[in-house]
Amino acid sequence: MTPAGIYLRGVLMGAADIVPGVSGGTIAFITGIYDRLLASIRAFGLPFLGLLWRGRLRAAWDHVDGAFLLALVLGIGTSIASLARLIAWLLAHYPVPLWAFFFGLILASALVLLRQVGQWTPVRAGCLLLGLLVAVAIALSPVVAMTPGLPGVFIAGFVSICAMILPGISGSFILILLGMYGPILAAVNDFQWDVLLVFAVGAGTGLMCFSRLLYWLLHRFHSPTMALLTGFLFGSLLVVWPWKRALDWVVSSHGELRPAQQVPVLPQEYLTVAGEDPMLIPCLALMVLGFALVWWIHRQWGRA
């Protein structure tokens, strides 16, 4: 796998992580780098610190697969810097067509993962159903009123980063459910360094713990774990379904109301409850385009 290929995968992951409801872990899965990413994150442990302590910087770099992480992080950063404003503008002005495009992406991703489960057994089918039910429950959950303060910020960082590396579950969407989306965005905009530092520590702790658990599950129980993650993806289709009705709202850092709890509706009902054109034909075309794009990415890079 070339550095350019890893960089492009990072660009795709960054583009996915920008949007609440879409996970960069999904892109890592369909482009064939998920196991390597988990292994690289997992390598940040006591052996790595021991190598640094002894001044063996090159060995420490190789131990964590530094070249891979550097290319990936550069790709993610490039994507966020270049696409964040475009995605935000599309979400503000054309949310329904954009969600339709992401629906096609997620559906194709789920089918790609489904093919990797292998021969089906009752246990694997049960794992698929469990993942589906968990994702559906998360998608339909109301906002949780967390206790404000730095402990809540730490918990938000810990939980959201765990969700971010799971295919089909968005870390930013988890922040919305925890009622911390607005406060964290406000901390970023106002440079509240104490809040950001605690959030980063929580995220780092969660990443170190959860990546080890996922790595262990994928190597000891690969097919059941793949079935579970595939269920997450299928369940997350509710999150990216284009036509939704809001049941609850959350105030953003700019004082604007954002939907916090939504339920999917049919295009005809969306026209009634939202009073807006469901744009059915363009949305169906964008679903097909997103589906085809993922299939092409998987054929190009999925086994690279």
Side-chain angles (χ1 to χ4, degrees):
M1 191 180 298
T2 65
I6 298 170
Y7 175 82
L8 288 175
R9 288 167 170 82
V11 169
L12 295 172
M13 288 179 63
D17 279 325
I18 292 171
V19 180
V22 182
S23 169
T26 301
I27 301 298
F29 243 113
I30 66 174
T31 56
I33 62 170
Y34 194 73
D35 282 355
R36 186 174 179 182
L37 176 60
L38 288 182
S40 183
I41 296 172
R42 176 177 172 271
F44 285 90
L46 292 178
F48 171 72
L49 294 176
L51 291 171
L52 288 180
W53 179 259
R54 294 193 296 272
R56 300 178 57 187
L57 300 183
R58 178 67 185 185
W61 177 261
D62 293 337
H63 179 74
V64 298
D65 203 355
F68 166 78
L69 280 182
L70 178 62
L72 195 67
V73 169
L74 286 176
I76 293 172
T78 300
S79 184
I80 292 176
S82 59
L83 294 179
R85 290 190 178 183
L86 173 61
I87 297 295
W89 184 83
L90 289 173
L91 278 173
H93 295 87
Y94 301 99
V96 174
L98 184 63
W99 286 121
F101 177 70
F102 284 118
F103 184 90
L105 291 178
I106 299 297
L107 178 59
S109 303
L111 294 177
V112 167
L113 263 66
L114 195 65
R115 298 174 61 189
Q116 300 182 28
V117 174
Q119 185 176 0
W120 285 95
T121 65
V123 171
R124 295 174 188 178
C127 289
L128 177 71
L129 180 60
L130 176 62
L132 175 65
L133 293 176
V134 169
V136 169
I138 292 173
L140 300 180
S141 294
V143 171
V144 177
M146 288 190 62
T147 303
L150 294 183
V153 171
F154 179 88
I155 294 172
F158 188 97
V159 176
S160 64
I161 199 67
C162 293
M164 192 171 293
I165 61 175
L166 275 176
I169 301 181
S170 164
S172 53
F173 183 70
I174 294 297
L175 286 178
I176 290 176
L177 294 183
L178 294 176
M180 297 296 290
Y181 187 75
I184 296 302
L185 278 184
V188 173
N189 292 332
D190 300 336
F191 298 103
Q192 300 174 21
W193 296 112
D194 55 339
V195 175
L196 295 178
L197 179 60
V198 172
F199 183 82
V201 171
T205 305
L207 191 61
M208 292 299 103
C209 297
F210 198 61
S211 62
R212 282 165 167 76
L213 174 61
L214 272 180
Y215 185 86
W216 180 81
L217 288 173
L218 283 170
H219 283 77
R220 292 290 300 272
F221 309 101
H222 183 269
S223 293
T225 303
M226 291 298 298
L228 180 70
L229 296 178
T230 303
F232 285 150
L233 273 184
F234 277 116
S236 72
L237 290 174
L238 286 179
V239 178
V240 295
W241 178 252
W243 305 284
K244 295 182 281 258
R245 176 166 59 92
L247 299 179
D248 196 7
W249 301 84
V250 63
V251 180
S252 73
S253 61
H254 300 290
E256 302 172 346
L257 288 177
R258 294 176 176 268
Q261 184 183 14
Q262 302 181 92
V263 293
V265 297
L266 295 175
Q268 297 89 335
E269 185 179 350
Y270 178 81
L271 177 61
T272 302
V273 298
E276 298 179 6
D277 182 6
M279 305 176 68
L280 183 59
I281 300 302
C283 285
L284 291 177
L286 286 168
M287 284 182 183
V288 173
L289 177 61
F291 190 97
L293 179 61
V294 167
W295 212 257
W296 178 78
I297 290 173
H298 177 65
R299 288 179 62 88
Q300 290 290 113
W301 294 329
R303 297 176 177 85

